[in-house]
Amino acid sequence: MEGKTKEEGIIERWVMKHLLLYTGATRHPFILSIRDGSVDISSFKRWLEQDYIFVREFVPFVASVLLKACKNSEDGNDMEVILGGLASLNDEIAWFKSEASKWDVSLSNTVVHKANQTYCRFLESLMSREVEYALALTALWAIEATYQESFAHCLEDGSKTPPELQETCRRWGNEGFGEYCRSLKKIANRYLEKASADVIAKAEVTLLHVLEHEVEFWNMSHRGT
């Protein structure tokens, strides 16, 4: 029991506290439809084009977290972890373009859905210098972990994920990305443990906002609304 308590941080306690919403974000019907092979390909294409837009907006957000790491990190490890995540986004954007070509999805002049616009505006609000490092780290972990847990579920034993979507699931569901998410969580927990009550409260609200935006993004992908 002692070892288990040691490993449990603020984020783990929040996940348990808000498990219904967390499960809604990581086991959404859109993800479950990929896992059981019933996914509507038009929904997948909609997710593809909208997520490409989101990732391009995600880049400056991660860069802003990196700047905060440079100013707040007690050692170089934080910066290295976040820099690795930022560097991988260049490859991710190239992957989206390649996938879009494969699925005959146009990424130019795409109409941005309301759920995506709202999520991108939320990201922008987290980029100011006034946003505390612990809060930004919490958001970054939540965004990345939602995808990691969702797509990893589509690769587990018993899944019937269509072969043509396996690569998509492996991109975020692989163990290397899982390790990156665990590193982010460890860093976030470390700073949350030292944060003021006000920052902790704001970080928890930020986590809930991320999960709500993720659910809305999946809803938009799944139903087109």
Side-chain angles (χ1 to χ4, degrees):
M1 283 294 292
E2 194 178 353
K4 189 176 179 184
T5 306
K6 242 181 185 180
E7 291 172 8
E8 187 182 87
I10 290 176
I11 285 177
E12 287 84 353
R13 295 196 289 275
W14 285 343
V15 168
M16 292 308 298
K17 180 180 175 182
H18 305 292
L19 190 57
L20 190 62
L21 181 56
Y22 189 77
T23 303
T26 57
R27 297 292 183 269
H28 188 275
F30 175 68
I31 289 299
L32 297 181
S33 74
I34 294 176
R35 177 183 161 84
D36 67 20
S38 66
V39 62
D40 185 332
I41 292 302
S42 66
S43 296
F44 174 76
K45 289 181 176 181
R46 183 160 49 247
W47 166 81
L48 189 69
E49 66 177 5
Q50 294 297 316
D51 209 38
Y52 169 74
I53 294 167
F54 179 81
V55 169
R56 293 185 71 89
E57 297 295 323
F58 187 56
V59 171
F61 165 67
V62 180
S64 75
V65 182
L66 180 61
L67 284 174
K68 287 181 170 67
C70 294
K71 295 175 183 176
N72 295 279
S73 177
E74 296 156 355
D75 55 41
N77 292 337
D78 295 15
M79 192 177 74
E80 289 173 15
V81 170
I82 298 163
L83 181 59
L86 181 60
S88 70
L89 291 175
N90 184 51
D91 178 58
E92 194 163 300
I93 288 172
W95 178 86
F96 271 103
K97 290 179 177 179
S98 174
E99 278 297 293
S101 176
K102 186 169 82 177
W103 289 97
D104 197 25
V105 171
S106 173
L107 295 178
S108 59
N109 303 316
T110 301
V111 176
V112 185
H113 281 250
K114 185 179 178 182
N116 200 0
Q117 288 179 340
T118 306
Y119 201 174
C120 289
R121 281 199 299 269
F122 171 71
L123 275 188
E124 195 175 336
S125 74
L126 297 175
M127 289 167 54
S128 75
R129 277 182 285 183
E130 288 71 35
V131 173
E132 295 85 353
Y133 184 42
L135 193 152
L137 281 169
T138 300
L140 178 59
W141 168 79
I143 293 166
E144 299 286 42
T146 298
Y147 263 41
Q148 202 282 324
E149 291 205 27
S150 295
F151 286 109
H153 187 53
C154 299
L155 299 172
E156 292 170 354
D157 290 344
S159 65
K160 299 175 182 174
T161 300
E164 61 271 25
L165 300 187
Q166 290 276 348
E167 185 187 344
T168 297
C169 297
R170 283 195 296 270
R171 168 156 286 277
W172 290 278
N174 69 81
E175 180 55 28
F177 191 63
E179 184 57 40
Y180 167 66
C181 291
R182 286 188 289 274
S183 296
L184 286 177
K185 181 167 66 173
K186 187 176 178 181
I187 296 167
N189 271 331
R190 191 167 76 242
Y191 285 93
L192 286 166
E193 293 291 350
K194 298 182 292 185
S196 67
D198 179 58
V199 170
I200 290 172
K202 287 194 291 185
E204 183 176 6
V205 170
T206 297
L207 169 63
L208 296 179
H209 283 325
V210 169
L211 296 177
E212 288 163 356
H213 283 302
E214 291 289 345
V215 169
E216 288 304 314
F217 201 97
W218 294 136
N219 285 344
M220 172 265 298
S221 302
H222 197 47
R223 300 197 299 259
T225 56

